[in-house]
Amino acid sequence: MRVAILGLLLAATPMAFAQNTGGVFSPVVNEGHKSAQYRVTYNPDTDGFSQRVHYQQAINGNLMWRAIVSARKTSDSDVDLDFVQAELFWEWSDDDDLWKRGLRFDARIRDDDRPGLIGVHWTNQFPITGNWNGRFVALSALDIDDDARDGIFLQTRGNVFTKLEMGQTLGLELFNAYGSTDDIRDFDDQNHQIGPFASFPVTEQWSLFTSALIGLTDASADTELRLRITRGF
């Protein structure tokens, strides 16, 4: 049985806190896939603003790479480099498997002399009913280089979604960040967010994703508004 501990934690400095631009990513790799995406997240309570762009391309029917550049609003600039990251997706399931599963490997370089990060994530997709599917992702991340924080940082993510006849996808997503294995936080000090999302095609090559996340704990942002624009090739 293949098992993995997985991860990714958005880091923060005292001067700027990154908004959640992450996703509940699929384990499925489609051979021949190529796309670029822009993401932006806005916190109306703090005027916080994070954005990122990425390009991804399938290597074959099981492997895909992605390159990311992420920026955030800080006290110095509205667009301040946050990190660059390389990712490798590896699907384990066959085309006819109902339970899709795979891994994602991350390597991140942060700005402002912050430590780098490596992560391994286990992602799953499965049918719930005839029209509904679910995803569950377990994540782990480890700081590297100078000033690395202790322990492995743990997260989970999940969603349920359905695709309508006209092509729109509607669902509910959940994000959980628990802290480090060296210091698991109390629940109110952890970051937990939940909210609805919708995605829909605009043209054959362009699509949009919108969502709103609501914080469930004192440590979480009260509200975050999110938008993604995807261009397929």
Side-chain angles (χ1 to χ4, degrees):
M1 179 179 181
R2 296 165 172 168
V3 180
I5 303 175
L6 325 139
L8 169 59
L9 184 70
L10 291 175
T13 70
M15 300 297 290
F17 295 89
Q19 283 64 56
N20 184 354
T21 57
V24 187
F25 49 90
S26 170
V28 177
V29 174
N30 294 313
E31 188 167 5
H33 172 85
K34 299 178 183 179
S35 68
Q37 188 178 92
Y38 169 75
R39 299 185 184 185
V40 59
T41 301
Y42 175 66
N43 183 331
D45 294 322
T46 65
D47 202 30
F49 190 76
S50 291
Q51 51 190 324
R52 65 176 251 192
V53 292
H54 76 236
Y55 176 80
Q56 61 187 31
Q57 182 170 327
I59 300 170
N60 53 39
N62 298 104
L63 296 172
M64 181 177 70
W65 64 267
R66 176 189 287 175
I68 298 171
V69 178
S70 178
R72 57 188 174 162
K73 182 178 180 180
T74 68
S75 55
D76 296 327
S77 172
D78 286 344
V79 182
D80 198 3
L81 178 65
D82 188 11
F83 64 84
V84 295
Q85 180 162 304
E87 300 175 352
L88 179 67
F89 293 76
W90 178 20
E91 182 180 357
W92 286 354
S93 48
D94 296 326
D95 291 343
D96 55 354
D97 290 343
L98 293 179
W99 171 33
K100 305 293 187 181
R101 54 206 182 277
L103 293 176
R104 195 185 83 190
F105 303 93
D106 297 348
R108 175 182 295 189
I109 299 173
R110 295 186 177 111
D111 193 24
D112 297 328
D113 296 321
R114 293 172 293 159
L117 175 150
I118 55 174
V120 185
H121 322 297
W122 179 43
T123 175
N124 302 265
Q125 181 172 306
F126 45 86
I128 299 174
T129 67
N131 296 323
W132 286 85
N133 290 277
R135 288 180 189 163
F136 174 77
V137 185
L139 307 99
S140 68
L142 179 69
D143 278 356
I144 56 175
D145 298 328
D146 297 335
D147 300 322
R149 298 165 294 177
D150 294 331
I152 298 172
F153 292 86
L154 303 176
Q155 291 187 40
T156 57
R157 302 174 185 176
N159 66 20
V160 292
F161 60 93
T162 186
K163 190 169 185 178
L164 306 181
E165 291 184 0
M166 297 297 292
Q168 302 93 337
T169 299
L170 304 177
L172 184 72
E173 57 187 353
L174 175 67
F175 293 82
N176 308 289
Y178 305 101
S180 166
T181 55
D182 189 63
D183 183 22
I184 296 295
R185 307 167 188 168
D186 294 334
F187 180 78
D188 276 342
D189 294 326
Q190 298 173 1
N191 193 320
H192 298 274
Q193 297 174 291
I194 192 170
F197 69 89
S199 66
F200 46 93
V202 178
T203 68
E204 186 174 338
Q205 295 179 315
W206 292 89
S207 63
L208 293 178
F209 172 100
T210 62
S211 74
L213 293 177
I214 299 171
L216 300 177
T217 61
D218 293 341
S220 308
D222 288 340
T223 306
E224 290 187 335
L225 307 177
R226 304 176 351 131
L227 172 69
R228 301 178 198 164
I229 304 171
T230 303
R231 166 68 155 87
F233 299 98

